[in-house]
Amino acid sequence: MLIRAFIPAHITAFFVPVFHEEPLKAGSLGAGVNLSKGTNVFASIETGTLERHIHVAFNGEPVKREEAEITYYVAEKLVPKDFLGEVEVWQYFDFPNGYGFGNSAGGALGTALALSYAFGGTWLRAAQLAHEAEVKHKGGLGDVIGQLAGGIEVRIKPGGPGIGVTDNLFFEDYKVLVVPLGRLSTREVLDGDVVKAIEVEGRKALEELLKEPKPERMMVLARNFAEKTGLLPGELSEIARELDKVLKNPSSMIMLGKGLFALVRDEEAEKAKQLLSDMNLPYDIAEIYTERPKVGRWVG
Amino acid sequence: MLIRAFIPAHITAFFVPVFHEEPLKAGSLGAGVNLSKGTNVFASIETGTLERHIHVAFNGEPVKREEAEITYYVAEKLVPKDFLGEVEVWQYFDFPNGYGFGNSAGGALGTALALSYAFGGTWLRAAQLAHEAEVKHKGGLGDVIGQLAGGIEVRIKPGGPGIGVTDNLFFEDYKVLVVPLGRLSTREVLDGDVVKAIEVEGRKALEELLKEPKPERMMVLARNFAEKTGLLPGELSEIARELDKVLKNPSSMIMLGKGLFALVRDEEAEKAKQLLSDMNLPYDIAEIYTERPKVGRWVG
């Protein structure tokens, strides 16, 4: 049996981390956008061996348990203890790991949905397990619930699936331009003293967005959040200011990765791509993904 | 400006009504399925008149306020008081009104999404307004949140969008066969003394379904619910028993309408269609709709 799941990449614009010892009550406030590219998970389940084996691979390369803690955590909980067979979980990422595209959540949720589809369960239980795995291993606080919400989402009540509450903004004709430049460890930032500034600026940004719930407003608030918290490094700030010259809406920093993102319309995208090529910078453009994550039998 | 929204028809399999004087805390427990057919809403907004006018039409026929209380309730709240222009809301239903396909919720949610898209707002606020309109006018308690959940949904915590909690079942290759035979007024049933039986049997069904969260189990529990509550009239019961002979999963009663529905696979569908034709009964087949409701500018 081969199951496939697709989980959209998820970029957070601004956020407020909300910690709690119960993983389902931990989460975040904030806003983010889902992309038509993301994480594809293929789960192969073969019976007939004398033992229970779980293997995980990232982009075709097998990974050890310590390199894929979150996925193994999910798989161990969903593959029955008395299962005799081989479970292989192949995860393919459209964006690099650690760059702020919600890959760890994509892997967790994709694995949880695929293995629940195969071994039994429900969407909510799978989503809650994925969120639990993320929180326990510090992968992130709001990606799983953001990926389930789809589109341009706003987290208005913190917590995991079934507890947190999300809203969605209406939008028209926007695509997402991304400039992925490097890693930024969620663990480092969330442990650092910048958390206080994130708290204050994040709550302000959410309050403002809910007064004027528009994508354009979200980008202004996101850029302001990135600057006021000091999260936006000089190098990125310079690129952002160049992009400001060709884009109607301000770009902002991918939370949390070394990179920028912007909501663009087709006519602006061409100018921005030219600019980024001239600056010799990598970029990509994706649609905004408004659907739910996908899971189902894969007949390939 | 012309906006179009699509809301899936929604059939409830079993339910427990949960009343509350605050509409958002009123709702239902239970399970249901969303169809690829349903309610299409077109909202036309034209400015330039000296007054504010709102008109509603069902299937191309203008309807008076008292015939479209729920839609007018939503429109009055979303069209600004100082708006000078014509707002026309055209609703087209794939299934007859009052037959248990969630048409009133489809109209409410479609109108709320379309007018929020045009005049400003968010998905959650639109959905909450639609739920409020439904509850206040006794259109139903669980259709709006069920339609937002998509697929085969399970309402595990009562309440409107943002308060109630829904889960989804995994399924493979099922379509929905419907046998729509007539109206059944939600108001009459919910006011009647059958509510006590619905309460008891509905909670039992939900508890059982959550132990074995599979579509096949849902249909067995639904049929049992329909029979034990006494909601399933003799005439429908006979047809259901005939269908049992050609279907793997039991059919059950559309809650709340005079009709039956069943989850069928392609090979079974042909036999059922033949049987129903022989019995001279109307039927239709739809896909299960797993996506979100749709809203966006309509360029027709």
Side-chain angles (χ1 to χ4, degrees), chain B residues 81-260:
Chain B
K81 294 299 174 230
D82 56 4
F83 174 74
L84 296 178
E86 297 277 332
V87 172
E88 294 179 1
V89 178
W90 303 76
Q91 297 179 4
Y92 296 89
F93 306 100
D94 291 329
F95 297 104
N97 281 339
Y99 279 50
F101 288 90
N103 283 9
S104 61
L109 185 54
T111 302
L113 288 172
L115 296 184
S116 299
Y117 187 94
F119 290 106
T122 70
W123 275 75
L124 183 59
R125 291 176 200 167
Q128 290 181 332
L129 176 59
H131 176 83
E132 178 187 304
E134 275 272 284
V135 171
K136 282 191 173 176
H137 298 87
K138 297 207 173 188
L141 291 162
D143 286 316
V144 169
I145 201 168
Q147 289 160 331
L148 288 163
I152 303 178
E153 50 85 17
V154 187
R155 277 152 272 157
I156 60 172
K157 185 183 159 227
I163 290 173
V165 175
T166 54
D167 196 348
N168 287 86
L169 305 187
F170 298 110
F171 65 89
E172 200 165 82
D173 302 337
Y174 280 122
K175 287 185 179 141
V176 185
L177 168 73
V178 295
V179 184
L181 297 176
R183 302 174 66 92
L184 199 59
S185 152
T186 308
R187 247 167 265 201
E188 276 151 41
V189 171
L190 293 195
D191 291 344
D193 54 23
V194 83
V195 168
K196 197 62 221 128
I198 287 173
E199 278 264 341
V200 171
E201 295 303 328
R203 285 188 192 278
K204 251 194 275 174
L206 179 59
E207 208 180 301
E208 287 305 310
L209 181 57
L210 292 177
K211 285 180 202 157
E212 189 187 336
K214 292 195 160 67
E216 300 78 9
R217 185 71 180 132
M218 180 183 83
M219 291 314 296
V220 169
L221 295 166
R223 178 69 165 273
N224 184 53
F225 171 83
E227 287 169 352
K228 287 260 178 66
T229 53
L231 282 168
L232 185 64
E235 179 199 351
L236 283 186
S237 183
E238 267 170 49
I239 303 167
R241 277 200 296 276
E242 288 306 308
L243 279 171
D244 289 344
K245 295 172 189 163
V246 295
L247 293 179
K248 199 166 154 248
N249 300 304
S251 60
S252 192
M253 179 177 167
I254 294 174
M255 294 292 169
L256 284 164
K258 216 181 114 193
L260 296 170

Side-chain angles (χ1 to χ4, degrees), chain A:
Chain A
M1 187 185 203
L2 188 59
I3 312 292
R4 178 206 167 218
F6 169 73
I7 313 298
H10 175 256
I11 292 172
T12 288
F14 62 81
F15 69 103
V16 180
V18 175
F19 304 102
H20 198 286
E21 72 273 11
E22 282 180 57
L24 279 184
K25 289 183 180 159
S28 63
L29 299 170
V33 59
N34 288 279
L35 311 186
S36 55
K37 300 175 182 176
T39 303
N40 279 285
V41 176
F42 295 88
S44 150
I45 293 115
E46 301 293 344
T47 51
T49 62
L50 300 177
E51 284 178 352
R52 171 180 182 272
H53 286 294
I54 298 172
H55 308 284
V56 176
F58 286 174
N59 292 335
E61 289 300 322
V63 282
K64 295 190 210 83
R65 275 180 183 261
E66 52 279 20
E67 293 167 307
E69 287 175 316
I70 292 174
T71 294
Y72 273 103
Y73 181 92
V74 168
E76 285 297 346
K77 294 249 178 164
L78 289 175
V79 179
K81 294 298 175 232
D82 56 4
F83 173 74
L84 295 178
E86 297 278 331
V87 172
E88 293 179 2
V89 178
W90 303 77
Q91 298 179 4
Y92 295 90
F93 307 100
D94 292 328
F95 296 105
N97 281 341
Y99 279 51
F101 288 90
N103 283 8
S104 61
L109 184 55
T111 302
L113 287 172
L115 296 184
S116 298
Y117 187 94
F119 291 106
T122 70
W123 274 76
L124 183 59
R125 291 176 200 168
Q128 290 181 332
L129 175 59
H131 175 83
E132 178 187 304
E134 275 272 283
V135 171
K136 283 190 172 174
H137 299 87
K138 298 208 172 186
L141 291 162
D143 285 317
V144 169
I145 201 168
Q147 289 161 330
L148 288 163
I152 302 177
E153 51 84 18
V154 187
R155 278 153 272 157
I156 60 173
K157 184 181 159 230
I163 291 173
V165 175
T166 53
D167 197 349
N168 286 87
L169 305 187
F170 299 109
F171 64 90
E172 201 165 81
D173 302 337
Y174 280 122
K175 289 185 178 140
V176 184
L177 167 74
V178 295
V179 185
L181 297 175
R183 302 175 67 91
L184 198 59
S185 154
T186 309
R187 246 168 268 198
E188 275 151 41
V189 171
L190 293 195
D191 291 346
D193 53 21
V194 83
V195 168
K196 195 62 220 128
I198 287 173
E199 277 263 343
V200 171
E201 296 303 328
R203 283 186 191 278
K204 252 195 272 175
L206 180 59
E207 208 179 300
E208 287 305 309
L209 181 58
L210 293 177
K211 285 180 202 157
E212 191 187 336
K214 293 196 158 70
E216 298 78 8
R217 186 70 180 131
M218 180 183 82
M219 291 313 296
V220 169
L221 294 166
R223 178 70 163 272
N224 184 54
F225 171 83
E227 287 169 352
K228 286 260 178 67
T229 54
L231 282 168
L232 185 63
E235 178 201 351
L236 284 186
S237 184
E238 264 170 51
I239 304 167
R241 277 200 295 276
E242 288 305 309
L243 279 171
D244 289 345
K245 295 172 189 162
V246 295
L247 294 180
K248 199 165 152 251
N249 299 304
S251 59
S252 191
M253 181 178 166
I254 294 173
M255 295 291 169
L256 283 165
K258 216 180 110 190
L260 296 170
F261 77 105
L263 298 183
V264 296
R265 294 220 162 98
D266 284 341
E267 56 282 11
E268 298 175 292
E270 293 318 312
K271 281 181 272 174
K273 280 155 72 173
Q274 190 55 57
L275 170 75
L276 292 164
S277 303
D278 297 346
M279 297 172 78
N280 213 356
L281 292 170
Y283 63 82
D284 198 351
I285 291 199
E287 307 269 340
I288 295 176
Y289 185 80
T290 59
E291 295 180 41
R292 284 178 238 282
K294 298 267 187 262
V295 64
R297 195 183 284 262
W298 177 253
V299 286

